[in-house]
Each structure stands twice: as structure tokens, then as C-alpha cells.
Amino acid sequence: MSTIEIQHEAGYTGFVSEEHHHDYAGDTLLGFWIYIMSDCILFATLFATYAVLSGSFAGGLTPADLFDLNFVAVETGLLLFSSFTFGMAMLGAQQKNMTQLLLWLGITFALGGGFLSMELYEFYHFSHEGAGPTSSAYWSAFYALVGTHGLHVFAGMFWMVILVIHILKDGITAENHTRLSCLSLFWHFLDIIWICVFSMVYLMGVM
């Protein structure tokens, strides 16, 4: 009778609990970076569309007629400051300080809500003045670009609520810390996109 010898990989012990653990956090963050890069392509397409249509007003209102830089500066300040508060939440997570984590996440959520409220008011004001999404090719591109960014902020806030539920249920576990790191990356990414929106859409729009 022949005997078949099975060759095991180095480190094999025969007990699952003693094998090398899968790198969950590393794989998750790598996958999320790939998602962020795909989102970059989406926004690059919207910025390119906006640039091509930036002079197509169909004889209607132009950005210089409607944009208020002081209003947009406050809006921008809310979003940029929310990145700082998210950083403080991450510090709380690293120190396993639940109170600090939830407090700064709550402030971040409120700042994101303030930003979205101002953006929605701006959309309402522009539409009321006659610059709706279908008024001209320019305004279609404007609402597509700025609105897509706003939807991302809303998604980030919804994600924040779900994550807080996970944290309240399970505590600051390694899995929740990884989820928090992904959301932090996403939130800072939105800040970078908004700086591009502020420069290309609002500043150049009033020149």
C-alpha cells in the first residue's frame, strides 16, 4: 500500500487559532484606496465637463450674477474645520477614549450638516433666481459637480451614524478602528475635492 504525504506551508500547526491571521485592516484600507481612486476619476470627469461648458449660459444668468464669496467662504470653513474635528476623533479612538471619540464625531456630524444646509439653501436661491439645473449647459454642469460632492458628504454623514451604532454596540475594536480610518480617509478626500470646487467653480466664476 502506498503512502501519500501532504506538504503543508511553513507555519502550519494544524490548529486554526494558531495560524497566521489574515491582514483584515491592510486589505480593507487597500481596497478603500482603490475606491477613492475610482471616485477621483468620477470627479475628474465632472470637472472636465464643467470646464468645457463653463461659457455656455444660453443668454441667462452667469456665476458672477449669483455667487456670494462670503457665503461660500463660511460654507468652506465649516467643511475644512470638520476635518480637524475628525482628526480629534481619531486621536480619541487611538487613546481608546470613547467620550472624546463620540464628542468629536458629533461635532463633525454637525459641521457636515451645516455645510449641507448652506449648500441646499444656495441651490434653492439659485433656482429661485432663474438658474436651475435646466437653465443652461453651465448650470447643468454646476449642479452635477457640486451636487455630486454634496451627495458624498451626505453619504459620509450617514456612514458616521452607522459607525457610531457599531461603536456603541461593540466598543473601539480593531474592526471599528479600521472602519473609522476608512471614513476619515473619505472625509479628508471630500475636503480636497471641495477646495478644487471652491477654486475652479466659485473663485474663477466671479472673475
Side-chain angles (χ1 to χ4, degrees):
M1 179 180 293
S2 61
T3 302
I4 301 175
E5 294 185 359
I6 300 175
Q7 299 295 324
H8 296 293
E9 295 181 355
Y12 176 79
T13 64
F15 297 95
V16 174
S17 59
E18 296 180 16
E19 302 301 329
H20 296 296
H21 293 288
H22 189 66
D23 187 6
Y24 169 79
D27 288 353
T28 302
L29 286 173
L30 175 62
F32 200 75
W33 269 110
I34 294 172
Y35 159 73
I36 290 291
M37 285 187 282
S38 70
D39 238 12
C40 283
I41 295 172
L42 169 66
F43 278 107
T45 304
L46 292 172
F47 273 112
T49 303
Y50 176 85
V52 169
L53 302 177
S54 59
S56 305
F57 301 109
L61 292 167
T62 68
D65 297 324
L66 294 176
F67 286 175
D68 180 354
L69 285 185
N70 291 326
F71 184 88
V72 181
V74 174
E75 195 177 356
T76 302
L78 289 178
L79 192 62
L80 295 185
F81 189 62
S82 72
S83 267
F84 169 76
T85 58
F86 206 118
M88 295 302 293
M90 288 298 294
L91 284 177
Q94 289 173 1
Q95 296 168 359
K96 303 290 184 186
N97 187 328
M98 180 76 84
T99 303
Q100 181 179 339
L101 170 60
L102 295 179
L103 172 65
W104 287 109
L105 274 185
I107 295 173
T108 304
F109 184 89
L111 291 170
F115 170 84
L116 269 188
S117 299
M118 292 184 74
E119 190 166 82
L120 290 174
Y121 170 78
E122 190 179 46
F123 287 175
Y124 169 78
H125 172 63
F126 290 173
S127 298
H128 185 71
E129 294 293 327
T134 58
S135 300
S136 66
Y138 171 83
W139 289 109
S140 296
F142 169 83
Y143 283 100
L145 174 58
V146 180
T148 300
H149 177 271
L151 283 175
H152 277 68
V153 174
F154 177 76
M157 292 172 62
F158 181 72
W159 183 359
M160 212 175 293
V161 171
I162 300 298
L163 185 54
V164 167
I165 293 173
H166 274 291
I167 292 171
L168 289 175
K169 180 182 176 186
D170 303 324
I172 308 174
T173 61
E175 288 79 9
N176 283 339
H177 197 280
T178 301
R179 292 167 181 147
L180 193 64
S181 298
C182 289
L183 180 55
S184 174
L185 181 63
F186 181 72
W187 201 259
H188 293 311
F189 167 72
L190 294 182
D191 267 4
I192 295 170
I193 294 297
W194 181 256
I195 290 171
C196 297
V197 170
F198 179 75
S199 303
M200 185 172 174
V201 176
Y202 290 97
L203 282 182
M204 294 180 67
V206 298
M207 289 181 179

